[in-house]
Amino acid sequence: MSGQPWWRGAVIYQVYVRSFFDSNGDGQGDLPGVTAKLDYIAGLGVDAIWLSPIHPSPNRDWGYDIADYEGVQPDYGTVADFEALLAKAHALGLKVILDEVLCHTSDEHAWFRESLDPASGKADWYVWADPRDDGTAPNNWLSVFGGPAWSYKPQRRKHYHHKFLRQQPKLNWRNAAAREAALKVLDLWLGRGVDGFRLDVAN
């Protein structure tokens, strides 16, 4: 159908990079390994590949705790390796989708570290709340992964919200600057040539 978005009705092949193909013998998959298998993937007749998160991460949640949205996890290779993958995929007629996690970051992300300072420009970039009068968490919300969905930071004398692990603080999408910074992540990777995104826990 003319004018229909390419992804409507597309067949998309998910690649969990870490376990897909190890190109250098270090025991885990990597981007050059994905590139090496693109001819095979294209031969299956799919329209696109969807890569699990590829950004630098301390791997508390295996890449879904992102410490740097602009780079590539060193275990997987380099930005140049990603660009080579993208170029070959496009030459084979394959679209490339990235898995992006914009609702939370790693607690090792520079944004969160700055948010620990109540005087910083990023103090409100995450969901912070005062403790109750008895010092306990602001409410009884639970993490999807078990236990309270709040963790206390003495530097702020506040709790921060995490829907998942405590190492995955929740970005405050009601803060215009934080929201704009998150959306610029998409602009950056679109500028590098990716064709779209799967947005993790976008709800």
Side-chain angles (χ1 to χ4, degrees):
M1 182 177 176
S2 178
Q4 179 171 281
W6 70 263
W7 45 267
R8 286 197 179 275
V11 176
I12 300 171
Y13 186 103
Q14 183 181 7
V15 176
Y16 187 69
V17 179
R18 182 172 299 278
S19 61
F20 186 69
F21 186 71
D22 177 9
S23 73
N24 59 8
D26 67 355
Q28 65 183 13
D30 47 48
L31 294 176
V34 178
T35 304
K37 294 295 185 179
L38 286 176
D39 291 290
Y40 163 75
I41 294 173
L44 298 174
V46 303
D47 301 296
I49 60 169
W50 152 24
L51 300 178
S52 58
I54 64 169
H55 303 307
S57 167
N59 287 326
R60 300 284 188 172
D61 191 21
W62 299 109
Y64 287 88
D65 50 326
I66 294 172
D68 173 13
Y69 287 110
E70 298 185 11
V72 167
Q73 170 72 325
D75 293 346
Y76 293 168
T78 65
V79 172
D81 290 327
F82 174 77
E83 290 171 344
L85 183 160
L86 190 65
K88 183 170 182 181
H90 286 166
L92 292 169
L94 293 170
K95 305 287 190 182
V96 177
I97 297 172
L98 293 186
D99 209 334
E100 287 295 350
V101 189
L102 300 181
C103 64
H104 58 249
T105 70
S106 165
D107 61 352
E108 296 184 21
H109 196 291
W111 296 350
F112 185 69
R113 288 177 172 170
E114 189 171 339
S115 187
L116 294 174
D117 178 0
S120 79
K122 294 184 176 62
D124 193 40
W125 276 37
Y126 292 80
V127 179
W128 293 95
D130 292 321
R132 289 186 280 197
D133 291 342
D134 62 0
T136 58
N139 57 37
N140 64 352
W141 291 353
L142 297 176
S143 162
V144 172
F145 290 168
W150 297 95
S151 289
Y152 185 72
K153 279 292 185 182
Q155 300 98 310
R156 290 290 306 263
R157 296 185 179 179
K158 290 178 180 285
H159 289 79
Y160 66 88
H161 178 54
H162 50 89
K163 187 175 181 180
F164 299 96
L165 296 175
R166 64 178 177 79
Q167 295 91 351
Q168 294 170 299
K170 177 82 172 65
L171 274 170
N172 179 12
W173 271 70
R174 294 181 179 179
N175 179 289
R179 184 170 64 248
E180 182 65 20
L183 293 174
K184 281 183 177 177
V185 171
L186 304 183
D187 289 336
L188 171 69
W189 289 93
L190 287 171
R192 288 176 173 172
V194 304
D195 302 289
F197 305 96
R198 179 259 178 184
L199 299 178
D200 186 62
V201 290
N203 58 310

